[in-house]
Amino acid sequence: MSAPFLSIARIAKSYAGTKAVDEVSLDIAEGEFVTFLGPSGSGKSTTLYIIAGFVEPSAGEVLLGGRSLLAVPPHQRGIGMVFQRYTLFPHLSVAENIAFPLRVRRRPRAEIADKVDEMLRLVRLEGMRGRRPGQLSGGQQQRVALARALAYDPRILLMDEPLSALDKKLREEIQGEIRRVHVETGVTVLYVTHDQEEALRLSDRIALFNHGRIEQVGDGRDLYERPASAFVAGFIGNSNFLPVRVVAAAGRHAVVSCPDGFELRGVRVAARPAGAEPTLMLRPERLWLAPGGAGEGIAGTVVDAAFLGDCIAYRVRTGWAQDLAVRTPLAALGGAPAGVGQEVRVCCEGRHAFLFAAL
Amino acid sequence: MLLDHRELGAWRWLLGGTALLLSLFLLLPLLLIVALSFDSSQWLQFPPPSWTLHWYAQVFADPDWLSSLRASLEVGVSVTVLSVGIGLCASFALVRGRFRGRAFLRAFFVTPMILPSVVLAVALYGVFLRLHLNGTLAGFVLAHLVLALPFSIIPITSALEQFDGAVEDAAVLCGATRWQARLRITVPAISLALVSAAIFSFLASWDEVVVAIFMASPGLQTLPVRIWGELRQNLSPDIAVVSTLLVLGSAVLMGLAAMVRRGASS
Ligand SMILES: Nc1ncnc2c1ncn2[C@@H]1O[C@H](COP(=O)(O)OP(=O)(O)OP(=O)(O)O)[C@@H](O)[C@H]1O
Ligand SMILES: [Mg+2]
């Protein structure tokens, strides 16, 4: 395999004793769209700022095309960045903002004019070229910021929660724009967000951050269907976590016993254990309800049933007083939905359950 | 609202009347000076027997007054340039810098505003005596610079604080060096604060008399200093003319400052 395009190697950064970034390593291919996802304070921005050059790592190395990036001052790194806050130059027009990086590079006038036109077309803001940032909406400002960051054909485009200040509808619209721009330009993108839906929608790969470390890297399905740890399982999508007892284990499969004695076979064992107590993860949409009485499944009582348009969200209270979330798509609903107070059994296939345990 | 103007009834007239009287009280001396500058009597008689521009012609023909005007402008402009330049650099350090004693330094920079000017004047006089700066243009400018700096530092630091540093970072990633980013992005973005700093720095020097009296020499007298000197010798209509010009200069600059403020808020 050839050397990776961008290689982040064991970078670390501490602030007054606390580790903001703790030995993060990641290889990124050219043209890839990688998202840093994770809870607040998990070190996503700090990692991005180390790559941009505004934060100096206490240890580690960043290589771009095999050469150290850390030795290059920020203004020569050739990196484009869109920030969370609006950072257009307030006294310059939209066109002048986009032209700024080219002016600084002393490109010929005609080339600058062509590039500005091209960028305005790319983000579909041809009609706004003469406006000042103050006369644009938040979404338009971020699109201009995107155009400005791409105007000098950067080798990497960094984006730190560029859409977090926008409302949901606008956010989805600009996500589409970003996706299209990525395809059209082929630029390598590192994108930070704490919105998992945004991460799943945009990225080729997601790096899930927690406490300054990368918990898992993979595409959306990897993280969703093969979570390496209970943290990943809990962060991506909704999950039920059950305290269980491991009855038997062979290879990467196990038999577990739920607190009420129900045994589930063929459960998959996660790569990394979570703490000392064996924990079983069940996705709400992998569960279904069967009528109460004897048979397979965890016995319980429906305590809540909410109609959500495309599915029904149940809460079922088990014998050990834990509420399990169950989602049944309308299409999968046989007869009438279960009502509150009804006795049911929560059923699941072993291969859709995940065990986090030190075996 | 507690004091709604429309609900005050008859009190409204009382309020309006007091406000008018108060304004008159504040403005009358100025109006009197202006009137006297056109007074044909050379004994500053009021009401004037008739009107004349004679005293204006006389002032503008008097080399002493003209040299004072030049001194005032020279000192004022030098102070303005230095005050804005130093104020800008100091503000960058105070707002963007990360060093110990920053808060203290910031408070220290504005102390000349609250220090009695006589104290400052005596202290500067003592120091400049040793440095042989008394009576020189350099000494004069330095002394007024001390008084003017707070008027630069206060608006510039507050503008810098409101200006998001990430914008400057964005310029750096665009390929500008840190200094280019400051000069081409941050400085234009806070230009209104710079204009306001320049106006008030100039006024701090233009109007100032206490420190100026200590710094002046027979060959270097700003307008307020010469007015003060003339007043003690003889009361001539020239004083009314120069005072009128001083007030006019200040008023124009204050008007400019008000326009800048309105520009900043829109
Ligand atoms: N300049 C700084 N000084 C001190 N601590 C800092 C600084 N910058 C970041 N930190 C700390 O480092 C940790 C990681 O911060 P970082 O900004 O990278 O998180 P994040 O994942 O981007 O979070 P968010 O989603 O809230 O933006 C946090 O605990 C934060 O408090
Ligand atoms: Mg962040």
Coordinates of all heavy atoms in Angstrom, one line a residue, chain A residues 13-16 18-21 36-49 55 84 160-161 192-194 209 211-212, ligand 1:
Chain A
K13 N -2.2 16.6 23.1 CA -2.1 18.0 23.6 C -2.8 18.1 25.0 O -3.9 17.6 25.2 CB -3.0 18.9 22.6 CG -3.1 20.3 23.0 CD -1.7 21.0 22.9 CE -1.8 22.4 23.5 NZ -0.5 23.1 23.5
S14 N -2.0 18.7 25.9 CA -2.6 18.8 27.3 C -2.7 20.3 27.6 O -1.9 21.1 27.2 CB -1.6 18.2 28.3 OG -1.4 16.8 28.0
Y15 N -3.8 20.6 28.3 CA -4.0 21.9 28.8 C -4.0 21.8 30.4 O -4.9 21.1 30.9 CB -5.3 22.5 28.4 CG -5.4 22.9 27.0 CD1 -6.1 22.2 26.0 CD2 -4.7 24.0 26.5 CE1 -6.2 22.6 24.7 CE2 -4.7 24.4 25.2 CZ -5.5 23.7 24.3 OH -5.5 24.1 23.0
A16 N -3.0 22.4 31.0 CA -3.0 22.4 32.4 C -3.2 21.0 33.0 O -4.1 20.9 33.9 CB -3.9 23.4 33.0
T18 N -4.8 18.4 31.9 CA -5.9 17.6 31.3 C -5.5 17.3 29.9 O -5.1 18.2 29.1 CB -7.3 18.2 31.4 OG1 -7.2 19.5 30.7 CG2 -7.7 18.5 32.8
K19 N -5.8 16.1 29.4 CA -5.4 15.7 28.1 C -6.6 16.0 27.1 O -7.6 15.4 27.2 CB -5.1 14.2 28.0 CG -3.8 13.9 28.7 CD -3.6 12.4 28.7 CE -2.2 12.1 29.3 NZ -2.1 10.6 29.6
A20 N -6.4 17.1 26.3 CA -7.5 17.4 25.4 C -7.4 16.5 24.2 O -8.5 16.1 23.7 CB -7.3 18.9 24.9
V21 N -6.2 16.1 23.8 CA -6.0 15.1 22.7 C -5.0 14.1 23.2 O -3.9 14.5 23.7 CB -5.5 15.7 21.4 CG1 -5.3 14.7 20.4 CG2 -6.6 16.7 20.9
F36 N -14.9 13.9 12.2 CA -14.7 13.7 13.6 C -16.0 13.9 14.4 O -16.5 15.0 14.4 CB -13.6 14.7 14.2 CG -12.3 14.6 13.6 CD1 -11.3 15.5 13.9 CD2 -11.9 13.5 12.7 CE1 -10.0 15.4 13.3 CE2 -10.7 13.4 12.2 CZ -9.7 14.4 12.5
L37 N -16.4 12.8 15.0 CA -17.7 12.9 15.7 C -17.4 12.6 17.2 O -16.5 11.8 17.5 CB -18.7 11.9 15.1 CG -20.0 11.7 15.8 CD1 -20.9 12.9 15.6 CD2 -20.8 10.5 15.2
G38 N -18.2 13.2 18.0 CA -17.9 13.0 19.5 C -18.6 14.0 20.3 O -19.0 15.0 19.8
P39 N -18.7 13.7 21.6 CA -19.4 14.6 22.5 C -18.6 15.9 22.7 O -17.4 15.9 22.3 CB -19.5 13.8 23.8 CG -18.5 12.8 23.7 CD -18.3 12.5 22.3
S40 N -19.2 16.9 23.3 CA -18.5 18.1 23.6 C -17.3 17.9 24.4 O -17.3 17.2 25.4 CB -19.5 19.1 24.3 OG -18.9 20.4 24.3
G41 N -16.2 18.6 24.1 CA -14.9 18.5 24.8 C -14.1 17.2 24.6 O -13.2 16.9 25.4
S42 N -14.4 16.5 23.5 CA -13.7 15.2 23.3 C -12.5 15.4 22.5 O -11.8 14.4 22.2 CB -14.7 14.2 22.6 OG -15.2 14.8 21.4
G43 N -12.1 16.6 22.1 CA -10.9 16.9 21.5 C -10.9 17.0 19.9 O -9.9 17.0 19.3
K44 N -12.1 17.1 19.4 CA -12.3 17.1 17.9 C -11.7 18.4 17.4 O -10.8 18.4 16.5 CB -13.7 17.1 17.5 CG -14.5 16.0 18.2 CD -16.0 16.0 17.8 CE -16.8 17.2 18.2 NZ -17.1 17.3 19.7
S45 N -12.1 19.6 18.0 CA -11.6 20.9 17.4 C -10.1 21.0 17.7 O -9.4 21.5 16.8 CB -12.3 22.0 18.2 OG -13.6 22.0 17.9
T46 N -9.6 20.5 18.8 CA -8.2 20.7 19.1 C -7.4 19.9 18.0 O -6.4 20.4 17.5 CB -7.9 20.1 20.5 OG1 -8.7 20.8 21.4 CG2 -6.5 20.4 20.9
T47 N -7.8 18.7 17.7 CA -7.2 17.9 16.6 C -7.1 18.7 15.3 O -6.1 18.8 14.6 CB -7.9 16.6 16.5 OG1 -7.9 15.9 17.7 CG2 -7.1 15.7 15.5
L48 N -8.3 19.3 15.0 CA -8.4 20.0 13.7 C -7.4 21.2 13.8 O -6.8 21.6 12.8 CB -9.8 20.5 13.6 CG -10.3 20.6 12.1 CD1 -10.3 19.2 11.5 CD2 -11.8 21.1 12.1
Y49 N -7.4 21.9 14.9 CA -6.6 23.1 15.1 C -5.1 22.8 15.0 O -4.3 23.6 14.6 CB -6.9 23.9 16.3 CG -8.1 24.8 16.2 CD1 -9.2 24.3 15.4 CD2 -8.2 26.0 16.7 CE1 -10.4 25.1 15.2 CE2 -9.3 26.8 16.5 CZ -10.4 26.4 15.8 OH -11.5 27.1 15.6
V55 N -2.8 25.3 17.0 CA -2.5 24.7 18.3 C -1.3 23.9 18.1 O -1.2 23.1 17.1 CB -3.7 23.9 18.8 CG1 -3.2 23.1 20.0 CG2 -4.9 24.7 19.1
Q84 N -16.7 27.4 12.9 CA -18.1 27.3 13.5 C -18.7 28.7 13.5 O -19.9 28.9 13.2 CB -18.0 26.8 14.9 CG -19.3 26.7 15.6 CD -19.1 25.9 16.9 OE1 -18.0 25.7 17.4 NE2 -20.2 25.6 17.5
D160 N -15.0 23.0 11.0 CA -15.3 22.8 12.4 C -16.8 23.2 12.7 O -17.1 24.4 12.9 CB -14.4 23.6 13.3 CG -14.5 23.3 14.7 OD1 -15.3 22.4 15.1 OD2 -13.8 24.0 15.6
E161 N -17.6 22.3 12.7 CA -19.1 22.5 13.0 C -19.6 23.7 12.2 O -20.2 24.6 12.8 CB -19.3 22.7 14.5 CG -18.7 21.5 15.3 CD -19.3 21.5 16.7 OE1 -20.5 21.8 16.9 OE2 -18.6 21.0 17.6
V192 N -15.8 18.4 11.4 CA -16.1 18.1 12.8 C -17.6 18.4 13.1 O -18.1 19.4 12.6 CB -15.3 19.1 13.7 CG1 -15.8 19.1 15.2 CG2 -13.8 18.7 13.7
T193 N -18.2 17.5 13.8 CA -19.6 17.7 14.2 C -19.9 16.9 15.5 O -19.1 16.0 15.8 CB -20.6 17.3 13.1 OG1 -21.9 17.6 13.5 CG2 -20.4 15.8 12.8
H194 N -20.9 17.3 16.2 CA -21.4 16.4 17.2 C -22.8 15.9 16.9 O -23.4 15.3 17.8 CB -21.2 16.9 18.7 CG -21.9 18.3 18.9 ND1 -21.2 19.3 19.4 CD2 -23.1 18.7 18.7 CE1 -22.0 20.4 19.5 NE2 -23.2 20.0 19.0
F209 N -14.7 10.3 18.6 CA -13.9 10.8 19.6 C -14.5 10.6 21.0 O -15.8 10.8 21.1 CB -13.5 12.3 19.4 CG -12.4 12.5 18.5 CD1 -12.5 12.2 17.1 CD2 -11.2 13.0 19.0 CE1 -11.5 12.5 16.3 CE2 -10.1 13.3 18.1 CZ -10.3 13.0 16.7
H211 N -13.1 11.6 25.1 CA -12.0 11.9 26.1 C -10.7 12.0 25.4 O -9.7 11.5 25.9 CB -12.0 10.9 27.2 CG -13.2 10.9 28.1 ND1 -13.6 12.0 28.7 CD2 -14.0 9.9 28.4 CE1 -14.7 11.7 29.4 NE2 -15.0 10.4 29.3
G212 N -10.6 12.7 24.2 CA -9.4 12.9 23.6 C -8.8 11.7 22.8 O -7.7 11.8 22.3
Ligands
LIG1 N1 -7.2 27.0 24.9 C1 -7.6 26.0 25.8 N2 -7.2 26.1 27.1 C2 -7.6 25.2 28.0 N3 -8.3 24.1 27.7 C3 -8.7 23.9 26.4 C4 -8.4 24.9 25.4 N4 -8.9 24.4 24.2 C5 -9.6 23.3 24.5 N5 -9.4 23.0 25.8 C6 -10.0 21.8 26.5 O1 -9.6 20.7 25.7 C7 -10.7 19.7 25.6 C8 -11.0 19.4 24.2 O2 -11.5 20.6 23.6 P1 -12.0 20.7 22.1 O3 -12.4 22.1 21.8 O4 -11.0 20.0 21.2 O5 -13.4 19.8 22.2 P2 -14.4 19.5 21.0 O6 -14.5 18.1 20.8 O7 -14.2 20.4 19.8 O8 -15.8 20.0 21.7 P3 -17.0 20.8 21.2 O9 -17.9 19.8 20.5 O10 -17.7 21.4 22.4 O11 -16.5 21.9 20.2 C9 -11.8 20.4 26.4 O12 -11.9 19.8 27.7 C10 -11.5 21.8 26.5 O13 -11.9 22.3 27.7

